[in-house]
Amino acid sequence: MIKFVTTNDGKFKEVSEMFAAKGIELERLNQPYPEIQADSIGDVVEYGLKTIPAGEGDLLIDDSGLFIEKLGGFPGVYSSFVYKTLGCQGILKLMMGWTAREARFETCFGLRIGGETHIFHGKCEGVISTEMRGKGGFGYDPVFIPKGQRRTFAQMTVKEKNEFSHRGKAARSAIKSLLKESGDE
Ligand code: IMP
């Protein structure tokens, strides 16, 4: 059994649905892990994994961020702080009148299986909408439209978001690797 260490209901729903569809059950460990202020989400994940005792067994952690192109990738590793302080409305206000609205989400998964660490990345390009739309998802979902789509992540079902999202991509890589290791693929 793999424990997904997260305090975020949305992340757990998205990832556990994908894993379950491939016959891998995830248990939730609803507790925070120390998130260092680092230059990349990969560093946050690697450090975070090390702080969780080996006794917890097989683990998954997820660190993600929103990177706005015109802001040089900000908020990036500061996404959580900016969400708490400015929120979606603050981002919209900051970008009011801008035509360059390109942004991307990135996710880094840290998977520790049998004491060995595996890292997986997922990226989703898109744009920041000009207004908040939709009631689903969490965080910046109401203002993010993945490339080629018209709806924000918050206007999609969990299944639809998983098809396009940064997290969906990281999850597919992790699942592929797990199935390969167990010889089920
Ligand atoms: P965390 O550090 O990975 O928990 O996330 C950093 C910030 O980005 C938090 O404010 C999250 O709500 C937000 N965030 C992470 N993943 C997503 C996503 O898939 N959609 C929208 N916001 C997200």
Side-chain angles (χ1 to χ4, degrees):
M1 176 77 79
I2 302 170
K3 291 178 187 162
F4 185 9
V5 187
T6 182
T7 54
N8 184 313
D9 294 348
K11 283 186 185 178
F12 187 74
K13 201 166 183 359
E14 290 171 20
V15 179
S16 59
E17 257 193 42
M18 288 185 71
F19 275 57
K22 295 289 179 190
I24 307 167
E25 210 181 320
L26 284 184
E27 188 185 323
R28 181 166 176 190
L29 198 53
N30 192 353
Q31 69 179 45
Y33 59 87
E35 287 192 32
I36 48 159
Q37 204 59 68
D39 289 341
S40 79
I41 55 174
D43 291 345
V44 176
V45 162
E46 290 199 29
Y47 181 85
L49 262 189
K50 283 188 198 135
T51 65
I52 306 169
E56 289 290 1
D58 293 344
L59 294 175
L60 171 67
I61 64 173
D62 162 324
D63 194 58
S64 303
L66 175 70
F67 298 74
I68 298 172
E69 217 162 276
K70 199 177 161 182
L71 293 174
F74 185 80
V77 290
Y78 305 102
S79 294
S80 178
F81 176 73
V82 168
Y83 183 76
K84 278 186 222 137
T85 50
L86 298 179
C88 288
Q89 290 292 4
I91 294 287
L92 292 179
K93 211 166 156 190
L94 181 75
M95 294 177 70
M96 208 169 353
W98 292 12
T99 48
R101 308 190 70 84
E102 291 77 15
R104 67 182 188 279
F105 268 119
E106 287 187 21
T107 285
C108 179
F109 270 8
L111 188 60
R112 193 167 74 198
I113 302 288
E116 242 183 72
T117 297
H118 309 263
I119 301 290
F120 303 92
H121 293 275
K123 198 188 277 191
C124 177
E125 306 276 354
V127 292
I128 302 295
S129 58
T130 50
E131 57 183 5
M132 285 178 72
R133 279 194 268 130
K135 301 227 178 300
F138 65 95
Y140 299 103
D141 280 347
V143 295
F144 187 85
I145 305 171
K147 202 172 185 171
Q149 300 300 308
R150 299 166 73 95
R151 289 173 300 159
T152 66
F153 273 154
Q155 292 175 298
M156 298 180 179
T157 61
V158 168
K159 198 162 183 269
E160 286 168 330
K161 180 181 172 187
N162 278 339
E163 263 174 51
F164 305 112
S165 80
H166 43 304
R167 184 165 299 105
K169 287 174 190 158
R172 276 190 287 279
S173 302
I175 289 168
K176 204 168 168 195
S177 156
L178 282 167
L179 293 181
K180 212 182 266 170
E181 265 185 36
S182 69
D184 280 353
E185 199 188 46

